[in-house]
Amino acid sequence: MDALIKLEEVTKRYNSDAAPAVDGVSLQIAPGEAVAVMGPSGSGKSTLLNMIAGLDRPTSGTVTVAGQRIDALSETGVARFRRRQVGMIFQFFNLLDDLTVLDNILLPAHAYPARLSGGQRQRVAIARALVNRPALLLADEPTGALDSATGQEIGALLLDLNRSGQTLVLVTHNPDLAARYASRTIQVTDGHIAADADAGAVR
């Protein structure tokens, strides 16, 4: 089966004098995979996720998602692509507090996000990410702002989504989360892929 995500020799520099945030990364992710991207702060894992989402462009190399070279699209083109193909979940939910849950995700609930618990907010964010049935779900520290019990519930929800065929790329600092909810773990260090192993090899 063709890769859903394909990065070829991707480098991202934010400053020409500094070390690259991502340096020569090549990577493929198949449809239906659940992949955890791990690494310390500043390792390049969030930059990698942002390039897969089309939120950031590589300095060099190519990023192909669902058969589309997103690094070559215009800003409008990549926004359209993201709307159709990519759902995103963030650590701090990114909900609009002055809109109801209905307005945030187009579901029949009339509470405002400020009245919701952290776990409820993250569920709204997940529903919003899935409303267009994207080919790819990206999650950046989705349990980082939650207590451990709620974090496990959100992790279980992500696992259920993946079991139903949803492709998931999860950025996390939490090795337990990666081991429990991803079938493959990619370790990023200093902008490079230091390790790439399926769950059977790391457990």
Side-chain angles (χ1 to χ4, degrees):
M1 187 174 278
D2 289 337
L4 180 66
I5 300 167
K6 186 174 184 181
L7 280 67
E8 294 182 285
E9 290 299 316
V10 169
T11 295
K12 176 62 180 179
R13 290 183 180 276
Y14 291 103
N15 182 335
S16 60
D17 297 336
V22 173
D23 192 7
V25 168
S26 293
L27 169 67
Q28 291 190 33
I29 296 174
E33 269 195 284
V35 178
V37 180
M38 296 190 62
S41 293
S43 63
K45 62 189 182 302
S46 290
T47 300
L48 200 59
L49 192 77
N50 287 343
M51 286 191 291
I52 292 169
L55 293 172
D56 215 342
R57 293 181 184 273
T59 306
S60 62
T62 62
V63 179
T64 304
V65 180
Q68 180 76 50
R69 277 270 316 272
I70 62 171
D71 61 286
L73 293 175
S74 67
E75 288 300 321
T76 302
V78 80
R80 283 189 187 120
F81 175 82
R82 219 178 7 258
R83 186 174 62 229
R84 289 190 318 266
Q85 299 288 347
V86 179
M88 298 191 69
I89 305 165
F90 301 94
Q91 179 175 356
F92 295 107
F93 325 121
N94 288 4
L95 301 180
L96 302 173
D97 286 335
D98 58 342
L99 298 180
T100 67
V101 169
L102 172 66
D103 292 329
N104 266 282
I105 59 165
L106 306 174
L107 289 178
H110 295 287
Y112 285 88
R115 297 180 182 160
L116 302 177
S117 71
Q120 290 169 325
R121 285 176 177 231
Q122 195 60 296
R123 286 180 187 90
V124 170
I126 291 169
R128 180 190 57 199
L130 295 171
V131 76
N132 289 333
R133 300 179 185 258
L136 174 61
L137 184 60
L138 303 176
D140 195 353
E141 296 287 356
T143 63
L146 306 175
D147 62 73
S148 60
T150 305
Q152 288 180 6
E153 290 174 13
I154 295 300
L157 177 58
L158 294 174
L159 183 62
D160 286 346
L161 288 167
N162 176 249
R163 285 180 177 155
S164 71
Q166 179 67 60
T167 305
L168 174 66
V169 178
L170 166 75
V171 166
T172 184
H173 285 97
N174 185 335
D176 184 51
L177 185 75
R180 190 173 294 160
Y181 303 117
S183 56
R184 176 178 168 197
T185 299
I186 296 170
Q187 186 72 37
V188 178
T189 306
D190 297 329
H192 298 279
I193 294 178
D196 185 346
D198 67 32
V202 292
R203 284 187 190 167

